[in-house]
């Protein structure tokens, strides 16, 4: 037989396996029909491409701007570009709250959860709705300042404008990569090569990681290209990856469907082996230590190998600290139900970003905490839009040992619900950024939670009198170490005086964009004299900060590490030199838009103080 025939046989088998793979996935709706695949020699139908800008911003985790403004807010991503192709710092763009690693090196920094998979590095997100559902062919992201933060793009099967919500919401990753440093802050159009998906979408999610950036990233618009009919690639023209033969590979690598993870949680059949190999000879504690390095899905997979490893993988000691945030798209009531028996000793739980669009119900959340809440010390619920008053009541009743509660951007919780938090007298950390907490509830919390050390009230717009809040802090919260009052609209020098007198352990204070504070009242010099332990002070966009304030900081706050005086017109290079000479630990100094500090002075200061990152933003 000619040697050509065996090769033809191999190629035929490979072609058959590819067809079989495609045919199987077609039953899940990946193709319009089997006939479309098998007739690959026919001309494919011409599909007109639709190009559309985002119609609406549906959800986001944070933004630099105010809740009552459009400047630097995520809402600027809706519609056509405002700035692009110009480069620079513009208020008409979308900007997230943080950048770099500065927030990881301040007193309010939280310890990270272990077992976070290396492929998950997202820090923030924004979800955008488009007019027409399409099969995406391209996504263009117009970045106008310090690009490179986007690390993941996802598409959702749910149509936000449909009157009939689907039984199951499916997320698919279109593109994902680790953070990468981009040279230069100039504008660019970012167009990654996206994956083809098997459903039309008009809901796109961007996830970002700004840790490698030298300043805030600014996004101007997002353009979605797509076609109305499912494109079918010909086998003659498309390249087929050998991994495509494995029908489970795509689900594990890219799939965000809930079934995959839930099947791993619910182990039914276990293999019977005569022995467990060398594992029988290892101490129980050593096996536990080895398994502690596995991610949650890996633990679930390993539990399916044998009874010994099943016992180890289901041991509650493996779930003392559990973060489900990396799997936010796949967590639902069934997932929590499967995890209940393993989480009876859980102390740290991260459910941030999970449960939205009906994935987690109030009853499902309550059932989980009833079994697993008694030992909880830390509970992260950032952007948990399923939360309501009942959930907060359940938390305060079933988690008596709770010390840390993060409700950041949980903007669907009604104002009256926050009264329940006052029942948790053991709280040491409370994050209420972008929530609807009102003054009465907050006063009650401060009165009964005297152990508070870290408090975030950034962008809490429903508080009417911050002076009264500051007075209560000064009287009741003597142990306070960090306080975020970002964009607090009505605090005055009176509130600052009460705060500085009563909370003298403060190491971190954010008074950025607080327009009612004026240096002429002596409020900043008062802070400097009474808070010698300050390590981080943000006075962002306060144009009244002057040389006297900087010199008082240099004289009294020698442990200062981070200072933001963006936008001041009254600080001279001479006072900055005094500050830099006195504060040896200073690592961040933001003098963007400071009219007396030009680029020449920044270069000179950088040369003389190389250990300090001195930031000077610009607009073209």
């Amino acid at each position: 037989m000619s040697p050509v025939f065996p090769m033809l046989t191999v190629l035929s088998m490979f072609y058959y396996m590819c067809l079989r793979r495609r045919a199987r996935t077609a039953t899940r709706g990946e193709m319009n029909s089997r006939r479309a695949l098998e007739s690959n020699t026919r001309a494919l139908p011409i599909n007109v491409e639709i190009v559309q800008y985002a119609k609406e911003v549906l959800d986001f985790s944070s933004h630099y701007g105010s809740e009552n403004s459009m400047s630097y807010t995520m809402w600027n991503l809706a519609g056509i570009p405002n700035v692009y192709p110009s480069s620079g710092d513009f208020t008409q763009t979308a900007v997230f709250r943080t950048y770099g690693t500065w927030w990881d090196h301040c007193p309010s920094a939280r310890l990270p959860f272990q077992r976070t998979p290396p492929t998950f590095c997202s820090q923030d997100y924004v979800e955008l709705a488009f007019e027409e559902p399409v099969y995406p062919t391209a996504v263009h992201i117009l970045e106008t300042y310090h690009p490179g933060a986007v690390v993941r793009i996802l598409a959702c099967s749910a149509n936000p404008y449909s009157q009939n919500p689907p039984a199951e919401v499916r997320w698919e990753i279109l593109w994902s990569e680790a953070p990468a440093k981009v040279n230069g802050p100039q504008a660019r159009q970012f167009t990654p090569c996206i994956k083809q998906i098997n459903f039309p979408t008009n809901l796109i999610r961007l996830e970002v990681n700004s840790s490698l950036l030298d300043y805030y990233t600014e996004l101007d618009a997002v353009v979605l290209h797509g076609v109305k009919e499912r494109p079918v690639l010909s086998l003659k023209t498309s390249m087929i990856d050998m991994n495509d033969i494995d029908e489970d590979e795509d689900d594990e690598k890219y799939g965000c469907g809930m079934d995959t993870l839930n099947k791993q949680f619910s182990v039914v059949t276990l293999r019977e082996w005569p022995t467990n190999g060398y594992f029988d000879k290892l101490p129980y504690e050593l096996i536990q230590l080895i398994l502690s390095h596995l991610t949650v899905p890996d633990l679930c997979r390993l539990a399916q190998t044998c009874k010994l490893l099943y016992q180890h993988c289901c041991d509650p000691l493996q779930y003392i600290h559990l973060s489900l945030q990396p799997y936010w798209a796949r967590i639902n009531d069934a997932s929590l139900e499967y995890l209940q028996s393993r989480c009876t000793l859980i102390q740290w739980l991260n459910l941030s970003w999970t449960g939205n669009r009906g994935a987690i119900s109030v009853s499902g959340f309550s059932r989980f905490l009833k079994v697993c809440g008694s030992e909880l010390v830390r509970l992260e619920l950032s952007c948990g839009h399923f939360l309501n008053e009942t959930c907060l009541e359940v938390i305060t009743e079933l988690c008596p040992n709770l010390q840390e509660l993060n409700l950041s951007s949980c903007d669907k919780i009604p104002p009256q619900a926050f009264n329940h938090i006052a029942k948790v007298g053991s709280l040491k950390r409370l994050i209420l950024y972008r929530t609807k907490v009102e003054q009465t509830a907050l006063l009650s919390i401060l009165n009964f939670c005297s152990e508070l050390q870290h408090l975030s009230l950034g962008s809490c717009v429903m508080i009417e009198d911050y002076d009264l809040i500051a007075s209560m802090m000064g009287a009741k919260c003597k142990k306070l170490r960090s306080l975020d009052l970002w964009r607090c609209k009505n605090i005055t020098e009176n509130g600052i005086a009460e705060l500085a007198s009563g909370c003298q352990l403060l190491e971190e204070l954010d008074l950025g964009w607080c327009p009612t504070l004026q240096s002429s009242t002596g409020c900043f010099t008062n802070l400097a004299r009474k808070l010698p332990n300050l390590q981080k002070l943000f006075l962002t966009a306060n144009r009244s900060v002057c040389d006297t304030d900087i010199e008082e900081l240099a004289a009294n706050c020698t442990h200062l590490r981070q200072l933001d005086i963006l936008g001041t017109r009254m600080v001279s290079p001479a006072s900055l030199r005094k500050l830099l000479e006195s504060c040896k630990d200073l690592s961040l100094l933001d003098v963007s838009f400071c009219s007396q500090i030009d680029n020449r002075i920044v270069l000179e200061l950088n040369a003389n103080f190389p250990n300090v990152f001195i930031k000077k933003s610009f607009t073209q």
Side-chain angles (χ1 to χ4, degrees):
M1 180 183 290
S2 170
V4 176
F5 290 105
M7 180 60 68
L8 289 176
T9 303
V10 170
L11 290 175
S12 299
M13 290 178 63
F14 176 72
Y15 179 75
Y16 168 74
M17 293 169 71
C18 292
L19 282 179
R20 190 162 174 263
R21 160 67 175 157
R22 299 279 181 175
R24 281 200 304 264
T25 56
T27 62
R28 300 197 300 252
E30 185 171 330
M31 299 180 56
N32 290 332
S33 69
R34 184 175 308 199
R35 184 178 180 184
L37 172 70
E38 293 175 345
S39 303
N40 58 80
T41 57
R42 301 181 182 180
L44 299 178
I46 298 176
N47 231 338
V48 177
E49 188 174 60
I50 298 174
V51 179
Q52 49 187 332
Y53 292 95
K55 178 181 179 180
E56 184 181 358
V57 176
L58 297 180
D59 189 23
F60 55 90
S61 55
S62 77
H63 60 184
Y64 186 89
S66 166
E67 301 302 295
N68 301 320
S69 170
M70 289 295 291
S71 298
Y72 296 123
T73 63
M74 286 299 119
W75 299 304
N76 285 319
L77 278 176
I80 62 175
N82 298 307
V83 173
Y84 187 85
S86 298
S87 297
D89 190 335
F90 291 90
T91 61
Q92 303 96 321
T93 57
V95 184
F96 291 97
R97 175 77 194 273
T98 65
Y99 74 94
T101 59
W102 310 110
W103 278 258
D104 297 327
H105 302 288
C106 56
S108 64
R110 287 164 286 169
L111 293 174
F113 277 78
Q114 301 301 316
R115 283 185 162 151
T116 300
T119 55
F120 181 80
C121 54
S122 304
Q123 297 173 332
D124 277 296
Y125 73 86
V126 58
E127 293 181 2
L128 306 169
F130 295 79
E131 183 71 36
E132 295 288 336
V134 294
Y135 292 92
T137 55
V139 177
H140 302 314
I141 303 171
L142 307 184
E143 304 171 281
T144 55
Y145 198 36
H146 288 279
V150 178
V151 293
R152 199 154 73 150
I153 305 173
L154 301 97
C156 185
S157 62
N159 183 342
Y161 301 121
S162 173
Q163 299 298 320
N164 301 312
E168 180 185 358
V169 177
R170 180 182 174 193
W171 287 91
E172 195 79 22
I173 298 175
L174 299 179
W175 171 86
S176 178
E177 274 192 14
K181 184 77 171 180
V182 175
N183 294 324
Q186 288 74 27
R188 72 170 185 178
Q189 175 179 291
F190 179 52
T191 308
C193 183
I194 64 172
K195 175 194 171 189
Q196 189 179 92
I197 59 175
N198 59 11
F199 56 81
T201 184
N202 61 339
L203 174 52
I204 296 294
R205 175 177 170 125
L206 308 182
E207 294 185 357
V208 304
N209 181 310
S210 304
S211 63
L212 298 182
L213 300 187
D214 291 332
Y215 206 57
Y216 299 95
T217 190
E218 299 191 8
L219 309 179
D220 193 14
V222 177
V223 191
L224 175 62
H225 292 239
V227 292
K228 296 292 289 184
E229 299 296 329
R230 170 78 165 101
V232 181
L233 293 178
S234 168
L235 286 178
K236 287 188 175 181
T237 59
S238 62
M239 296 183 65
I240 301 174
D241 195 319
M242 285 295 292
N243 290 328
D244 196 41
I245 297 173
D246 183 0
E247 66 177 331
D248 294 327
E249 192 271 341
D250 281 345
D251 288 336
E252 292 179 3
K253 185 176 180 181
Y254 297 107
C256 290
M258 295 172 181
D259 287 343
T260 305
L261 196 63
N262 291 341
K263 287 176 182 177
Q264 294 167 6
F265 286 150
S266 57
V267 179
V268 179
T269 58
L270 299 173
R271 299 181 184 180
E272 294 287 348
W273 300 99
T275 68
N276 294 306
Y278 290 105
F279 279 101
D280 280 329
K281 301 179 180 180
L282 295 178
Y284 192 93
E285 293 80 4
L286 180 56
I287 299 177
Q288 287 285 293
L289 179 61
I290 294 171
L291 299 190
S292 68
H293 296 279
L294 298 180
T295 63
V296 175
D298 288 338
L299 270 182
C300 296
R301 295 186 189 102
L302 187 63
Q304 302 176 50
T305 56
C306 66
K307 287 185 177 180
L308 176 66
L309 291 179
Y310 174 81
Q311 179 185 0
H312 280 280
C313 292
C314 295
D315 192 319
L317 292 174
Q318 288 290 338
Y319 300 86
I320 298 293
H321 295 178
L322 176 63
S323 176
L324 296 177
Q325 183 180 4
Y327 321 106
W328 60 265
R330 294 182 275 172
I331 299 300
N332 60 6
D333 282 349
S335 309
L336 297 182
E337 193 77 27
Y338 292 138
L339 284 168
Q340 276 185 22
S341 61
R342 309 181 188 192
C343 296
T344 54
L345 300 178
I346 190 170
Q347 297 178 5
W348 288 14
L349 175 62
N350 186 358
L351 286 175
S352 295
W353 301 6
T354 65
N356 299 335
R357 295 184 173 85
I360 294 179
S361 65
V362 173
S363 58
F365 178 73
S366 302
R367 286 194 302 270
F368 183 80
L369 283 191
K370 188 174 182 179
V371 176
C372 309
S374 61
E375 302 296 325
L376 265 182
V377 174
R378 177 179 174 184
L379 182 56
E380 305 280 341
L381 295 170
S382 173
C383 304
H385 300 315
F386 67 92
L387 295 170
N388 61 11
E389 182 171 3
T390 301
C391 293
L392 289 195
E393 186 175 7
V394 166
I395 291 171
T396 57
E397 290 180 356
L398 300 178
C399 306
N401 299 307
L402 198 62
Q403 296 181 11
E404 300 188 23
L405 179 60
N406 180 4
L407 298 175
S408 172
S409 291
C410 293
D411 53 0
K412 302 295 191 295
I413 301 176
Q416 70 277 5
F418 293 92
N419 283 294
H420 295 287
I421 298 177
K423 303 172 188 175
V424 189
S426 57
L427 273 183
K428 294 183 178 179
R429 184 189 301 271
L430 179 59
I431 302 176
L432 298 177
Y433 168 72
R434 288 192 66 237
T435 62
K436 295 177 180 177
V437 62
E438 60 182 2
Q439 185 164 302
T440 304
L442 185 54
L443 288 172
S444 180
I445 292 170
L446 296 175
N447 186 43
F448 291 102
C449 300
S450 58
E451 297 296 314
L452 276 174
Q453 297 180 16
H454 305 282
L455 178 61
S456 173
L457 300 174
S459 294
C460 292
V461 298
M462 298 190 69
I463 298 173
E464 302 168 354
D465 187 352
Y466 268 99
D467 280 349
L468 182 58
I469 297 299
S471 177
M472 180 64 81
M473 290 180 199
K476 297 290 185 177
C477 303
K478 302 292 186 180
K479 300 179 180 180
L480 207 58
R481 293 180 53 216
S482 72
L483 177 61
D484 179 8
L485 295 177
W486 174 263
R487 293 193 179 273
C488 154
K489 293 297 183 184
N490 53 39
I491 193 168
T492 69
E493 66 275 8
N494 297 324
I496 292 297
E498 296 278 357
L499 184 67
S501 297
C503 303
Q504 297 190 1
L505 297 180
L506 271 174
E507 299 172 354
E508 176 179 343
L509 182 59
D510 193 333
L511 296 172
W513 296 88
C514 295
T516 50
L517 293 176
Q518 293 297 315
S519 173
S520 58
T521 64
C523 58
F524 299 136
T525 57
N526 190 29
L527 278 178
R529 291 170 183 171
K530 292 189 176 180
L531 302 178
N533 298 316
L534 273 181
Q535 297 180 30
K536 172 182 174 179
L537 179 62
F538 274 27
L539 302 175
T540 316
N542 192 305
R543 300 185 186 279
S544 70
V545 176
C546 63
D547 283 344
T548 303
D549 303 319
I550 301 301
E551 289 168 3
E552 287 289 346
L553 288 172
N556 298 287
C557 302
T558 55
H559 301 295
L560 200 63
R561 295 176 180 269
Q562 301 179 28
L563 177 64
D564 186 342
I565 53 171
L566 175 149
T568 181
R569 302 169 179 171
M570 305 174 68
V571 171
S572 67
S575 64
L576 287 184
R577 290 190 187 96
K578 289 182 182 179
L579 179 78
L580 291 166
E581 290 169 356
S582 176
C583 301
K584 303 298 184 183
D585 296 327
L586 196 66
S587 57
L588 170 65
L589 177 61
D590 194 335
V591 292
S592 299
F593 303 109
C594 293
S595 55
Q596 295 191 43
I597 313 298
D598 57 27
N599 288 332
R600 178 185 59 80
I601 293 172
V602 170
L603 290 174
E604 175 195 328
L605 294 175
N606 273 324
N608 293 328
F609 303 95
N611 295 327
V612 184
F613 179 78
I614 303 175
K615 179 58 189 175
K616 176 72 174 177
S617 184
F618 72 95
T619 301
Q620 288 183 349

